Amino acid sequence: MAIMIWNETYSVGVSELDEQHKGLLRMINEMHYAMNDDKGQEAISSIIAQMFDYMELHFSTEEGYMHQCGYLGLLAHRAQHDEFRAKARDLRERVNAGEFVLSFEIVQFLSEWLQSHIMVSDMKYTTLFAEKGLR
Ligand SMILES: [Fe+2]
Ligand SMILES: [Fe+2]
């Protein structure tokens, strides 16, 4: 897997949301760098903490704008966010229980989230948000 570099294809057209999405790319890169240095295991707790920060801030911002704009896909979208929340909780519980969690599992989950959620589901609200004047 390659290091992720932000480019305009990732943009949802709202700078606040783009800045938050960049945090996900930073998590992916931090995990990659750590794994390349054989420090993947040491990085896991920090990445999981960042996942919690990310989901608490970003999902509420995004869902707030969806609500404000009357986005019809809000409930289905929130269900996807709930899957991320469940995964983060699962990872934290397993780490706290002393289970060996593969750093690869985390970086793969985050990379898939970027491709399947941000690039597909988040992109569906961009037209409406732009029409409502969000920038
Ligand atoms: Fe998002
Ligand atoms: Fe989302």
Side-chain angles (χ1 to χ4, degrees), residues 12 17 21 54 58-59 62 77 81 113 117-118 122 125:
V12 293
L17 297 173
H21 283 154
Y54 176 82
H58 176 59
F59 294 166
E62 210 171 68
H77 199 101
H81 287 172
W113 181 262
H117 185 80
I118 296 179
D122 284 354
Y125 61 62

Side-chain angles (χ1 to χ4, degrees), residues 83-97:
E83 286 174 28
F84 187 104
R85 292 181 175 104
K87 182 69 179 183
R89 281 190 215 104
D90 169 64
L91 288 166
R92 188 171 64 180
E93 275 168 27
R94 285 160 58 198
V95 167
N96 288 346

Side-chain angles (χ1 to χ4, degrees), residues 41-53:
Q41 284 304 308
E42 296 160 47
I44 283 179
S45 295
S46 160
I47 297 291
I48 292 174
Q50 290 178 56
M51 286 172 72
F52 274 81
D53 289 344

